[in-house]
C-alpha cells in the first residue's frame, strides 16, 4: 500500500508541475524593443536591414505568433524574397517602399501592410530610414524560411 501511495504522490507532483507550466504559459509576456539585441546586417544576400526579435517561442514564453521590429538606415534594403507564412508590417517611423509582387506600397508611421504567403516582397527605406513592426503566424522566427529571389545584377 505504501508503494502505491508513493506512486500517487509522484503522479500528483508531476501533475502539479505540469499544471504550473500551463499557468505560466498562459501568463502575459512583456518585451521592450530597447532591450532586445540588434540582429542582422551581416549578410549582403539578405540586405542591410537589422531587426530586434520581441516574441519568438525559442526565446520567450510565447507561441503562435512571432513579432519584431525591423530597422533600416537611410536607403537600407531587404532584398526581394518569399516565405510560406503571410506577414504583416506596421510602420513605426521613417518612410519606405515595400514592393509586393511588383506593386509598390508606401510604408509610413501608422500604415499596416498585409503580405500574403509566398508573395515576393522587398523593402527600400527612404532618406531618413525606416522602422516597422513585423508579425508572422508562427511559434518562432526560426520557422520562417526566407527564399531570396535571383539577383538581376
Amino acid at each position: 500500500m505504501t508503494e502505491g501511495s508513493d506512486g500517487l504522490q509522484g503522479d500528483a507532483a508531476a501533475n502539479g508541475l505540469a499544471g504550473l507550466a500551463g499557468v505560466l504559459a498562459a501568463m502575459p509576456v512583456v518585451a521592450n524593443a530597447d532591450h532586445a539585441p540588434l540582429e542582422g546586417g551581416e549578410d549582403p544576400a539578405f540586405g542591410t536591414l537589422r531587426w530586434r526579435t520581441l516574441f519568438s517561442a525559442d526565446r520567450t514564453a510565447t507561441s503562435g505568433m512571432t513579432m519584431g521590429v525591423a530597422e533600416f538606415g537611410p536607403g537600407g534594403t531587404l532584398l526581394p524574397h518569399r516565405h510560406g507564412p503571410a506577414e504583416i508590417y506596421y510602420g513605426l517611423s521613417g518612410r519606405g517602399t515595400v514592393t509586393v509582387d511588383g506593386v509598390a506600397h508606401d510604408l509610413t508611421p501608422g500604415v499596416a501592410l498585409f503580405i500574403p504567403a509566398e508573395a515576393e516582397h522587398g523593402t527600400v527605406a527612404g532618406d531618413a530610414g525606416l522602422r516597422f513592426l513585423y508579425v508572422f503566424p508562427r511559434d518562432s522566427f526560426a520557422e520562417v524560411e526566407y527564399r531570396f529571389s535571383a539577383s538581376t545584377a
Side-chain angles (χ1 to χ4, degrees):
M1 186 81 86
T2 306
E3 184 175 291
S5 175
D6 288 342
L8 290 176
Q9 287 177 350
D11 288 347
N15 287 339
L17 289 176
L20 179 59
V23 167
L24 291 176
M27 300 292 290
V29 176
V30 176
N32 184 327
D34 293 336
H35 299 148
L38 193 57
E39 303 175 72
E42 297 90 24
D43 186 351
F46 202 83
T48 60
L49 87 145
R50 306 210 51 200
W51 64 90
R52 299 176 191 274
T53 303
L54 301 178
F55 298 117
S56 181
D58 56 348
R59 301 173 186 203
T60 56
T62 58
S63 64
M65 303 290 285
T66 295
M67 185 178 88
V69 176
E71 301 182 9
F72 298 73
T77 60
L78 171 56
L79 298 176
H81 64 282
R82 299 172 188 272
H83 40 68
E87 185 175 16
I88 293 173
Y89 288 177
Y90 180 78
L92 297 173
S93 64
R95 305 182 82 77
T97 301
V98 181
T99 302
V100 181
D101 284 337
V103 178
H105 302 274
D106 289 332
L107 189 62
T108 57
V111 172
L113 177 62
F114 175 84
I115 302 167
E118 299 300 339
E120 182 184 62
H121 57 290
T123 304
V124 177
D127 293 341
L130 173 66
R131 288 182 73 234
F132 64 78
L133 189 73
Y134 62 85
V135 180
F136 291 105
R138 292 292 184 268
D139 286 335
S140 71
F141 189 68
E143 293 177 31
V144 181
E145 180 186 343
Y146 281 70
R147 298 182 319 278
F148 285 89
S149 304
S151 174
T152 57

